[in-house]
Amino acid sequence: MGRLTVDVIAKSSLHVKNRRDEPLGQYLKKLTHLNFSNKNIDEIDDLSACKNLSVLYLYDNNITQIHNLGFAFNLTHLYLQNNNITHIANLSSLQNLSKLYLGGNCISVVEELEGLTELRELHLENQRLPLGEKLLFDPRTLQSLKKSLCVLNIKKNNIDEIKELSCLGNLNQFMAEDNQIRDIKELEYVLSQWQKLWYLGLSGNPVCQKAKYRDKIMVMSTSLEVLDGKEINNTARQFLLNWKAFRETKKKIAKEKKDKQEVQQKLDHPQIIQHYAPRNYTSPGIRRFRKPVDVLLTKTPNLANSGDDGKGALPPALESRGMGDGMEGIGSGPVRFLLLPSPNTVTKKHGLRKAASSLSVQNIAQP
């Protein structure tokens, strides 16, 4: 047939029968529904005579471009699925359009729908895209549809992310079967934004292979009534919600208990204070004690360090009596000295108890 014109409409058998002897211009003006689906149409001609057209069926044709529809201010339903359309254009004047069917075309970007403030349903399923490409959305279009759009159909479009669609707050039906959606966390966020959603179709996506996928979705969206074609049982959902609340409470109690135990452990076992004092290893008397003390320090990394402020000093008993054979005093070199408590308070390990006992302050102080 080729082009859709006024003459083609007038000569069609259906309209010849309906029009009878009525003048063509008057008949076209009263026309509200026009069905030319599967008629091998590849172009839309000037149809401005059909001023009251509200429903136009042009699916299953060979249309490549959308044009010559600017006259149709009263158009509410436009069916253009299964054509060869590559670009959405020339629809901004259709301010009363509520349902737009564009599935089965070659559209790669959803765009130029900013003027469609009354659009309720948008069907974009199964676009014939090049291998490896996916259907994309213009952020401006999404923002313009966020208050009106209720139904979105994007089946079979190789889509792997839907976070950008979260702005569609009035969405109540979302069909996204046979895509590449796999992120359960992203899905949880999007569902939290769609408070009116009652139908969700995700079958055929990798996310459906996740453990307890259906249970998780039921808990994520309390408004959901149908998931992947199956009705959601409210009793089952309430059980899952109660179980989730119980587990969260149990985790909270366990965490609080652990925190209390850590605090109590710090109070019951205060850190051992590590002092510093000037030292000089020129005297052979002190050299014999250096290695065991340093070894003990390296084996006990949890011993506290009091700092290098120079305030830590040897006990008076050691300062007055000296520490070894021929030692005349303690020099200016740094020496590390430990005030060790009884062996049982340091650790229960046998090796450390033995080291602590052998290096007590009393033994070190002996001349």
Side-chain angles (χ1 to χ4, degrees):
M1 183 176 289
R3 295 165 63 92
L4 177 62
T5 64
V6 172
D7 291 337
V8 171
I9 297 174
K11 293 177 181 179
S12 66
S13 58
L14 175 62
H15 293 285
V16 169
K17 180 180 179 180
N18 292 338
R19 184 167 68 91
R20 297 179 183 178
D21 297 330
E22 187 177 5
L24 180 59
Q26 186 176 348
Y27 174 76
L28 293 175
K29 187 176 181 180
K30 294 192 305 181
L31 200 64
T32 59
H33 289 64
L34 190 60
N35 189 347
F36 275 83
S37 58
N38 197 21
K39 299 294 185 182
N40 200 30
I41 295 172
D42 55 25
E43 188 176 351
I44 305 171
D45 205 349
D46 183 11
L47 302 177
S48 57
C50 307
K51 294 182 179 180
N52 290 309
L53 196 64
S54 61
V55 180
L56 179 58
Y57 298 95
L58 291 175
Y59 57 86
D60 295 335
N61 284 296
N62 298 314
I63 299 171
T64 57
Q65 292 182 341
I66 305 172
H67 57 175
N68 292 328
L69 292 177
F71 71 93
F73 299 110
N74 297 314
L75 196 66
T76 59
H77 295 60
L78 179 57
Y79 297 82
L80 288 170
Q81 62 267 43
N82 300 328
N83 282 279
N84 296 315
I85 300 169
T86 58
H87 181 66
I88 302 175
N90 304 315
L91 294 175
S92 59
S93 61
L94 307 181
Q95 298 180 0
N96 290 311
L97 191 66
S98 62
K99 295 184 180 182
L100 178 58
Y101 294 81
L102 290 170
N105 282 284
C106 306
I107 299 168
S108 58
V109 181
V110 182
E111 57 186 346
E112 296 193 32
L113 297 176
E114 286 81 351
L116 307 183
T117 56
E118 298 298 322
L119 192 63
R120 299 288 183 269
E121 296 187 21
L122 180 57
H123 299 264
L124 297 158
E125 72 283 359
N126 197 25
Q127 298 298 316
R128 301 193 300 275
L129 301 172
L131 185 65
E133 291 191 13
K134 63 180 179 179
L135 183 65
L136 302 175
F137 293 85
D138 187 335
R140 294 170 295 183
T141 292
L142 292 176
Q143 288 297 318
S144 68
L145 297 176
K146 66 180 182 179
K147 293 183 179 179
S148 63
L149 198 65
C150 298
V151 179
L152 180 59
N153 184 352
I154 54 172
K155 299 177 183 177
K156 297 183 180 180
N157 282 312
N158 202 33
I159 294 173
D160 55 1
E161 295 180 358
I162 58 172
K163 188 175 182 179
E164 60 185 347
L165 304 179
S166 62
C167 64
L168 303 174
N170 280 321
L171 212 63
N172 55 53
Q173 296 181 60
F174 181 61
M175 290 82 84
E177 292 90 340
D178 300 316
N179 280 290
Q180 298 298 321
I181 301 170
R182 62 181 72 249
D183 192 343
I184 193 73
K185 292 294 183 181
E186 179 187 67
L187 188 58
E188 182 178 11
Y189 170 74
V190 173
L191 292 178
S192 69
Q193 305 301 307
W194 293 347
Q195 297 294 323
K196 299 180 181 179
L197 192 73
W198 66 267
Y199 182 94
L200 177 63
L202 292 173
S203 59
N205 283 277
V207 71
C208 300
Q209 304 302 320
K210 301 284 186 180
K212 298 183 179 180
Y213 148 79
R214 186 175 178 85
D215 291 350
K216 291 178 180 178
I217 298 298
M218 289 169 59
V219 173
M220 289 177 188
S221 177
T222 56
S223 63
L224 205 61
E225 298 177 11
V226 180
L227 175 59
D228 296 334
K230 297 181 181 179
E231 188 175 351
I232 292 176
N233 186 289
N234 287 328
T235 303
R237 173 191 277 135
Q238 190 58 52
F239 170 78
L240 292 171
L241 289 171
N242 293 341
W243 176 248
K244 180 183 178 182
F246 169 75
R247 293 190 64 182
E248 289 178 351
T249 302
K250 188 175 180 181
K251 288 181 180 179
K252 183 179 179 181
I253 294 174
K255 185 179 182 302
E256 292 177 352
K257 184 177 180 181
K258 183 179 179 182
D259 293 343
K260 289 181 179 179
Q261 288 177 345
E262 291 178 354
V263 172
Q264 189 62 40
Q265 186 176 11
K266 290 179 180 180
L267 294 175
D268 293 342
H269 304 283
Q271 295 176 326
I272 300 172
I273 301 174
Q274 184 173 318
H275 292 275
Y276 290 90
R279 64 182 177 183
N280 192 328
Y281 290 116
T282 58
S283 173
I286 196 171
R287 193 176 293 120
R288 59 179 176 172
F289 296 103
R290 176 186 176 185
K291 184 176 179 180
V293 172
D294 289 344
V295 170
L296 180 60
L297 287 172
T298 59
K299 289 185 178 181
T300 56
N302 61 331
L303 294 179
N305 189 343
S306 63
D308 295 330
D309 54 5
K311 294 181 181 180
L314 292 175
L318 296 180
E319 292 180 347
S320 60
R321 299 179 62 177
M323 289 187 63
D325 304 329
M327 179 179 177
E328 299 177 357
I330 295 176
S332 60
V335 60
R336 179 176 291 177
F337 182 82
L338 293 177
L339 293 181
L340 295 173
S342 63
N344 291 333
T345 60
V346 176
T347 181
K348 293 183 179 181
K349 294 183 179 180
H350 177 72
L352 191 56
R353 288 204 309 270
K354 184 177 180 181
S357 299
S358 63
L359 297 176
S360 59
V361 175
Q362 291 79 359
N363 290 336
I364 294 175
Q366 294 298 325

